[in-house]
Amino acid sequence: SIEALSARWPAVALPPNASSDADVEAITKRWIKRAVIGLNLCPFAERPLRTKELSFHTVRGDNPEHIIEAVTEQLLLKKDERGTSLVICPEFQTNDFEEYMALLQFIETRVMVYFELVGHVQIAQFHPNFTFDSANENIDVYTNRSPYPMFHVLRESEVGAAVTKRLGGDPGKVWRRNKRLLEILEERLGRSRVVRFLLGRGQSKDDFTEDDDVAVDQALRQTKEEMDKEDTNGQEKIRGGWVR
């Protein structure tokens, strides 16, 4: 377990103002409920959180060996165990997405191959400075920007079943829908307010005005209407709803 692994690791000296593990998890859950589920950025996220099949694991400090061990443990567990895991690394390369990606690629190309996990599990990347391209700072980068660097461990079979059931076998529809939603939100609220909504750490609903509420609801409705038009066979609908 991560607890057993942690017992072997030397104590990590954290900054005096570092958030506690409980606060890190609370901020992460708030981000998931407000952005990922609330804006339906991932149509598969609500069920595992509701059924408690989403587990949270916080790894402190910036030692890559500790993170590799923690992520590997979750990869091995999820090969045979239902659900999904989120490994949160509050101090690891928070400003350097390339270094984060280098570690992720090591896990994917070395660790997963060694343990014969390819095709059984996968890792989704989330990072405060996530980008598709270093030259791209369009609003769609915020689909994968998170309060902390994270490694999201998923079971291939569950992802495949969800794509078939919810998206008619078209995984690209999630990205197209999310990109359009964030573009509409940016038009209505401005980027700084959208970013604050997506990544705000612990702000209460009172930090957002009634006009903001209306703009978010309107953006969700507009996006749904546009995606429904794209869905010419009328069989697949992407649900939109903001959890306040």
Side-chain angles (χ1 to χ4, degrees), residues 24-114:
V24 168
E25 184 172 324
I27 289 169
T28 300
K29 285 183 177 179
R30 183 172 181 84
W31 165 69
I32 291 173
K33 290 177 180 179
R34 170 183 281 176
V36 180
I37 295 176
L39 293 180
N40 202 31
L41 297 180
C42 176
F44 327 128
E46 188 273 337
R47 183 183 178 279
L49 185 65
R50 174 172 46 82
T51 59
K52 298 183 178 180
E53 292 180 319
L54 169 58
S55 59
F56 297 84
H57 310 275
T58 301
V59 180
R60 305 313 298 251
D62 59 0
N63 188 323
E65 292 182 6
H66 298 174
I67 295 168
I68 290 170
E69 286 191 70
V71 175
T72 300
E73 180 191 28
Q74 294 307 309
L75 289 167
L76 291 168
L77 284 173
K78 292 307 172 188
K79 180 181 179 182
D80 302 308
E81 182 182 278
R82 281 185 57 83
T84 179
S85 302
L86 202 58
V87 179
I88 311 163
C89 310
E91 289 82 39
F92 180 71
Q93 302 295 347
T94 56
N95 296 316
D96 196 329
F97 179 62
E98 291 185 1
E99 286 297 318
Y100 163 89
M101 283 300 298
L103 183 65
L104 173 63
Q105 288 164 6
F106 175 85
I107 295 172
E108 290 179 330
T109 60
R110 301 289 292 277
V111 175
M112 291 180 62
V113 171
Y114 177 82

Side-chain angles (χ1 to χ4, degrees), residues 114-128:
Y114 177 82
F115 286 106
E116 299 181 343
L117 295 171
V118 178
H120 299 283
V121 286
Q122 61 178 256
I123 304 173
Q125 64 264 36
F126 293 96
H127 190 277

Side-chain angles (χ1 to χ4, degrees), residues 8 23-24 41 72 75 83 89 107 135 143-144 148 173 202 210 222-223 230 237:
R8 302 206 311 265
D23 286 342
V24 168
L41 297 180
T72 300
L75 289 167
C89 310
I107 295 172
T143 58
N144 288 70
Y148 308 106
K173 189 162 189 177
E210 185 176 342
Q222 181 179 339
T223 304
E230 179 185 295
K237 304 293 182 182

Side-chain angles (χ1 to χ4, degrees), residues 7-26:
R8 302 206 311 265
W9 299 338
V12 176
L14 299 177
N17 61 344
S19 300
S20 67
D21 288 3
D23 286 342
V24 168
E25 184 172 324

Side-chain angles (χ1 to χ4, degrees), residues 185-204:
L185 282 172
E186 185 176 28
E187 292 168 2
R188 294 176 179 272
L189 294 174
R191 178 166 299 197
S192 62
R193 202 130 183 92
V194 174
V195 171
R196 184 183 178 194
F197 173 80
L198 291 171
L199 298 177
R201 297 191 177 196
Q203 291 101 329
S204 70

